[in-house]
Amino acid sequence: MMCGIYACLHVSVPSNEKSRSTINCVCHCTHIKDSILKRRGPDASSSKIIYIRDKVKAIFFASVLHLRGTSVVQQPYEDSYGNLLLWNGEIFHGLEVDDEECDTARLSKCLSDVRCSEGFIKVISSIKGPWSFIYWQEDTKCLWFGRDIFGRRSLLWKNEINNLGTFSLCSVGLEDRAWKEVPADGLYCLDLNEKNLEKNINISKYSWNCSVSGKASDWTSGEVSEGNFMDFHSYTSEQWVLSPLKCCLNDSEPRLEDVVVVSPVDCGQLKRLSGIGSLKDNEDKESVSKQLDQMDLNSYNVESTLESSSLEDKIFISYLRINKFKSLVSQFIEVLAEAVKLRVLNQPLLCKDCLCNLISNDTDKSKEMTRKERKKMPVCVHAPIAVMFSGGLDSVILAYLADRFLPRHLPIDLLNVAFEHKVRMQSTSKKETHSSETTYDTPDRITGKEGVNELSMLKPHRKWNFVEINITRNELQSQRQDCIRQLVYPCATVLDDSLGCASWFAARGSGVIWSDSNSYEPYTSPARVVLLGMGADEQLAGYSRHRVKFKNKGWKGLIEEVALEIDRISSRNLGRDDRVITDHGREGRFPYLDESVVCFLNSLPMWYKADLSLPRGVGEKLLLRLVAFQLGLKKAASLPKRAMQFGSRIAKTEDSKEKGSDACGRLKQTKMI
């Protein structure tokens, strides 16, 4: 279930002002319904006002994008005890959710059965999947909220208790610029059972027992005064929230026998032969090379392939001749495929338009509709799944694996965004002045077309809609001014601007496709779910800064940098990406950040995942490149990493002298929408 969720606590509401306060609350909720929060959940919306005690009230609002179960479930979801759940998440594992059951209803039932903080925390920590939530626990008068350990769903907070008597939580920033991101470092609980709430609100934090890399959380019992708590009287509980990740990052460094220099295919490159035995003192490089040549070549006809292969192909083939690597590649494909399967099939497999018609034509009937009755309905033949698609390694693999699980009659939309840029034209005469031409042939557009061609050759049964999303500079500036900068907020750097804008236009999915009549025609993706490749670079050393660390500090420096990357991923970009993508009524899903995928990669020594002594386009994300090569995606396997802001050319449309870490003046505004 993907939602826009909101809660506002009002303190100091005199009893004789309750009626006037109720009117104000209704007006406030009406404003929220008309705001960007509603665009996150176009299928249903509702609000709830409760009076907690004298002078204390709370407003709850949620808008719903229906993705699970056979009927739309309204939020805030109230159980028979008066508890309220606002759930913006997906339960893929951890709690058993039936095929025809909404995960919101299932989670509410589990939470209503607990009466203590220990039980509440146990239920939430068991969930595997992306989430942010707000939960009002009626009997304890506690307001719980938090985000998953990766921060895959946005949640902001604003504390104005001291001047306005309000505390707010929301998926996106509303009205002003006082919002901050709720840290994804545990669960939070506001105790509203205390006296003198207008003077002081107690907030407790229940920290994750360890970080994504497995680093034990720093713990200090008692009062804390961190900036995260926004001037609350705060307390860190002794009780941990168990991380859903059961495997720490393997920080072992390679030994001499793990990394040796050979040239089994006359590449002259650094090769690693881990898994074929230790390099003993009486063994030389020649004997190890012979041992490699005698290994099983599996399905590869190496002798007939090597002469015509590129250098990159030769390296990949030599790695896949090693039993250990061959086994790890197979395991990685299995784990990643399962993550993609969960994200492809956990939805109605109806496009936005068909599901909207189902809901609007006969709402009461749709609530009672069983799976058998749905099968009798006209079949949706539109794309229920889209992939944010640059044609690069990460996105091509996701598209390939999505094809495994989606019924054959359904298309897959590949969303490829490009920003206009000028190309200098060559003059035919020395006397002629140079002219320029506007083009959308960006690096990502070129690799995107190559990627869809490769997919079409391997999977000719599938209709691949390559959506060319062309954005002019005027449209970029207009949409940034109107809405994108509010969604990006509170992120505020040049990089946030570039990635936020590029992701927003890509997720909008409005462009052109090449039709059967051999011409371009307008097209807007009807998909309700978008697969994204975030998380692969952080875990598999895909950034250029990883090469710098490896060059300067070797394997130890690289391992430390990867640990830092995955531990801070929640605070860097995922909240921003969620706000931007879901503005179009689509849910972004991240297979590379599936808990099982992360645990699998955490368990492997770094030298199985990357070898940055190898060339660019080979050594970074080595294991994932071997996966692509094994699947037949040979062109994508050797594509170098290219950042979205450069591949789409959005960085060229603005001040080229800016640094990504600079504060972005284009995101500043005096008034929020």
Side-chain angles (χ1 to χ4, degrees):
M1 183 77 70
M2 200 280 287
C3 298
I5 59 178
Y6 171 84
C8 184
L9 174 69
H10 289 250
V11 180
S12 299
V13 183
S15 299
N16 59 2
E17 294 186 9
K18 276 192 175 183
S19 59
R20 186 176 70 182
S21 174
T22 301
I23 295 174
N24 291 338
C25 288
V26 172
C27 294
H28 189 67
C29 287
T30 301
H31 167 73
I32 294 172
K33 289 178 183 179
D34 295 332
S35 73
I36 58 174
L37 193 64
K38 180 67 184 295
R39 297 202 293 266
R40 294 174 61 91
D43 296 333
S45 62
S46 183
S47 59
K48 177 78 174 180
I49 303 169
I50 61 172
Y51 288 90
I52 300 167
R53 6 180 296 243
D54 191 29
K55 299 185 179 183
V56 182
K57 70 178 180 186
I59 308 168
F60 299 93
F61 173 84
S63 58
V64 174
L65 176 71
H66 171 60
L67 289 169
R68 305 286 291 274
T70 56
S71 63
V72 179
V73 173
Q74 292 269 7
Q75 293 194 40
Y77 188 87
E78 185 172 7
D79 65 15
S80 59
Y81 300 102
N83 302 313
L84 296 176
L85 174 63
L86 292 82
W87 173 249
N88 177 27
E90 299 289 349
I91 301 176
F92 291 131
H93 279 304
L95 297 180
E96 293 296 328
V97 181
D98 294 337
D99 290 342
E100 298 186 7
E101 185 179 20
C102 175
D103 55 355
T104 304
R106 175 61 177 158
L107 177 59
S108 176
K109 174 64 171 63
C110 292
L111 293 177
S112 66
D113 292 337
V114 301
R115 293 291 182 270
C116 61
S117 60
E118 291 83 358
F120 184 93
I121 291 169
K122 183 178 180 180
V123 171
I124 296 295
S125 64
S126 69
I127 297 171
K128 292 185 178 180
W131 50 263
S132 63
F133 77 94
I134 302 169
Y135 187 75
W136 170 249
Q137 199 169 33
E138 174 63 23
D139 61 341
T140 63
K141 297 295 187 288
C142 286
L143 184 70
W144 291 85
F145 57 94
R147 302 166 67 198
D148 72 78
I149 196 168
F150 297 109
R152 288 168 288 189
R153 293 288 179 265
S154 172
L155 189 63
L156 309 180
W157 59 4
K158 179 175 64 171
N159 181 21
E160 296 180 317
I161 288 292
N162 293 334
N163 52 355
L164 297 178
T166 62
F167 169 75
S168 305
L169 294 161
C170 195
S171 298
V172 293
L174 299 172
E175 299 174 338
D176 56 43
R177 301 189 65 84
W179 298 87
K180 300 179 185 295
E181 286 195 326
V182 174
D185 56 359
L187 303 182
Y188 291 84
C189 180
L190 284 178
D191 186 355
L192 303 179
N193 210 15
E194 300 293 330
K195 297 180 180 179
N196 302 318
L197 284 176
E198 62 271 22
K199 296 181 181 179
N200 188 40
I201 286 186
N202 290 332
I203 183 170
S204 296
K205 183 178 81 168
Y206 299 83
S207 302
W208 296 109
N209 66 318
C210 63
S211 66
V212 175
S213 70
K215 179 183 177 183
S217 297
D218 295 329
W219 173 76
T220 304
S221 177
E223 295 182 13
V224 292
S225 57
E226 299 172 11
N228 283 346
F229 292 103
M230 304 168 57
D231 301 322
F232 283 118
H233 181 75
S234 51
Y235 183 83
T236 300
S237 172
E238 297 181 15
Q239 187 176 340
W240 294 114
V241 183
L242 291 180
S243 168
L245 305 172
K246 307 304 180 185
C247 190
C248 299
L249 181 69
N250 190 318
D251 60 358
S252 59
E253 297 178 46
R255 301 162 297 175
L256 177 62
E257 59 265 33
D258 295 322
V259 183
V260 295
V261 179
V262 297
S263 54
V265 290
D266 201 24
C267 296
Q269 300 292 336
L270 186 68
K271 299 295 186 295
R272 200 176 340 87
L273 305 178
S274 196
I276 63 171
S278 300
L279 181 64
K280 301 177 182 178
D281 294 338
N282 59 351
E283 287 184 320
D284 57 17
K285 297 172 187 176
E286 183 179 357
S287 65
V288 174
S289 181
K290 288 180 180 179
Q291 186 179 359
L292 177 64
D293 289 334
Q294 292 171 0
M295 300 181 78
D296 178 23
L297 302 184
N298 198 13
S299 60
Y300 294 103
N301 187 355
V302 178
E303 283 74 11
S304 62
T305 303
L306 289 181
E307 290 186 6
S308 60
S309 295
S310 66
L311 172 63
E312 292 84 358
D313 286 0
K314 292 177 181 178
I315 296 175
F316 294 143
I317 290 171
S318 68
Y319 271 103
L320 289 169
R321 295 167 72 185
I322 303 170
N323 287 334
K324 180 64 174 179
F325 274 96
K326 191 164 56 178
S327 173
L328 290 178
V329 166
S330 297
Q331 292 176 53
F332 193 13
I333 291 174
E334 182 179 349
V335 173
L336 184 58
E338 179 63 22
V340 172
K341 178 182 178 181
L342 289 170
R343 286 152 181 81
V344 167
L345 297 182
N346 275 294
Q347 59 156 322
L349 291 183
L350 295 172
C351 72
K352 293 173 71 173
D353 298 332
C354 290
L355 188 58
C356 182
N357 291 336
L358 171 66
I359 295 170
S360 60
N361 286 343
D362 194 351
T363 303
D364 293 334
K365 185 177 179 181
S366 68
K367 286 183 179 179
E368 301 170 357
M369 194 171 294
T370 65
R371 182 174 292 270
K372 289 183 178 179
E373 290 173 324
R374 281 181 178 246
K375 287 183 177 180
K376 296 179 182 179
M377 296 180 56
V379 177
C380 174
V381 295
H382 312 114
I385 284 284
V387 181
M388 200 170 286
F389 192 79
S390 66
L393 176 68
D394 310 341
S395 61
V396 170
I397 289 177
L398 293 184
Y400 180 97
L401 293 177
D403 168 79
R404 284 190 178 184
F405 308 108
L406 199 65
R408 285 194 165 212
H409 70 279
L410 295 174
I412 295 177
D413 288 347
L414 307 176
L415 310 178
N416 183 276
V417 66
F419 294 82
E420 71 169 353
H421 62 286
K422 304 290 185 181
V423 176
R424 192 175 184 183
M425 305 301 293
Q426 205 168 21
S427 61
T428 57
S429 169
K430 291 183 178 180
K431 294 182 179 180
E432 292 182 18
T433 57
H434 289 281
S435 61
S436 61
E437 182 182 73
T438 298
T439 180
Y440 296 97
D441 286 334
T442 63
D444 279 0
R445 179 59 49 79
I446 295 169
T447 56
K449 290 180 177 179
E450 292 173 347
V452 73
N453 287 339
E454 193 164 36
L455 287 169
S456 297
M457 287 188 292
L458 293 171
K459 303 291 183 178
H461 59 272
R462 178 71 60 192
K463 182 179 180 183
W464 302 97
N465 291 328
F466 184 68
V467 188
E468 299 183 36
I469 302 166
N470 300 325
I471 308 301
T472 66
R473 183 171 183 174
N474 287 340
E475 186 177 15
L476 167 62
Q477 293 173 342
S478 173
Q479 293 292 357
R480 178 197 285 123
Q481 175 71 25
D482 289 345
C483 67
I484 297 175
R485 60 182 179 175
Q486 181 177 0
L487 297 165
V488 171
Y489 174 80
C491 301
T493 68
V494 170
L495 185 61
D496 291 319
D497 174 52
S498 295
L499 296 180
C501 289
S503 297
W504 188 88
F505 283 109
R508 187 177 65 172
S510 296
V512 295
I513 60 173
W514 188 253
S515 69
D516 295 335
S517 58
N518 293 326
S519 62
Y520 280 109
E521 61 182 31
Y523 180 83
T524 297
S525 173
R528 295 165 66 83
V529 170
V530 183
L531 301 182
L532 301 105
M534 283 76 164
D537 290 304
E538 288 83 355
Q539 298 180 79
L540 295 163
Y543 293 120
S544 57
R545 56 182 173 268
H546 291 125
R547 282 194 174 273
V548 174
K549 279 289 183 181
F550 182 77
K551 180 180 179 181
N552 294 334
K553 296 188 177 181
W555 289 102
K556 181 177 176 60
L558 175 61
I559 293 166
E560 291 174 349
E561 185 68 14
V562 168
L564 179 64
E565 292 278 3
I566 61 178
D567 282 343
R568 69 183 180 184
I569 193 170
S570 66
S571 63
R572 287 177 62 84
N573 54 17
L574 290 179
R576 176 202 67 209
D577 295 338
D578 176 65
R579 293 189 294 276
V580 166
I581 292 163
T582 54
D583 188 54
H584 304 290
R586 310 185 202 275
E587 181 177 80
R589 294 180 174 179
F590 312 95
Y592 292 109
L593 290 174
D594 179 90
E595 285 83 354
S596 295
V597 172
V598 175
C599 284
F600 172 75
L601 293 176
N602 270 358
S603 70
L604 302 180
M606 186 59 63
W607 62 91
Y608 287 126
K609 296 182 285 188
D611 186 346
L612 301 188
S613 63
L614 290 171
R616 186 167 176 261
V618 178
E620 72 277 14
K621 298 193 287 191
L622 175 61
L623 187 61
L624 193 61
R625 295 183 186 281
L626 294 175
V627 164
F629 197 85
Q630 177 83 345
L631 295 175
L633 301 164
K634 296 185 178 181
K635 195 168 190 67
S638 58
L639 286 175
K641 162 69 181 177
R642 188 189 299 114
M644 188 179 192
Q645 66 271 27
F646 301 123
S648 66
R649 283 292 187 260
I650 187 174
K652 292 289 185 181
T653 66
E654 309 293 355
D655 183 358
S656 60
K657 296 182 180 180
E658 293 176 321
K659 294 181 180 179
S661 58
D662 291 345
C664 183
R666 295 179 295 277
L667 292 176
K668 294 180 180 179
Q669 56 190 43
T670 57
K671 183 180 179 181
M672 301 289 276
I673 299 169

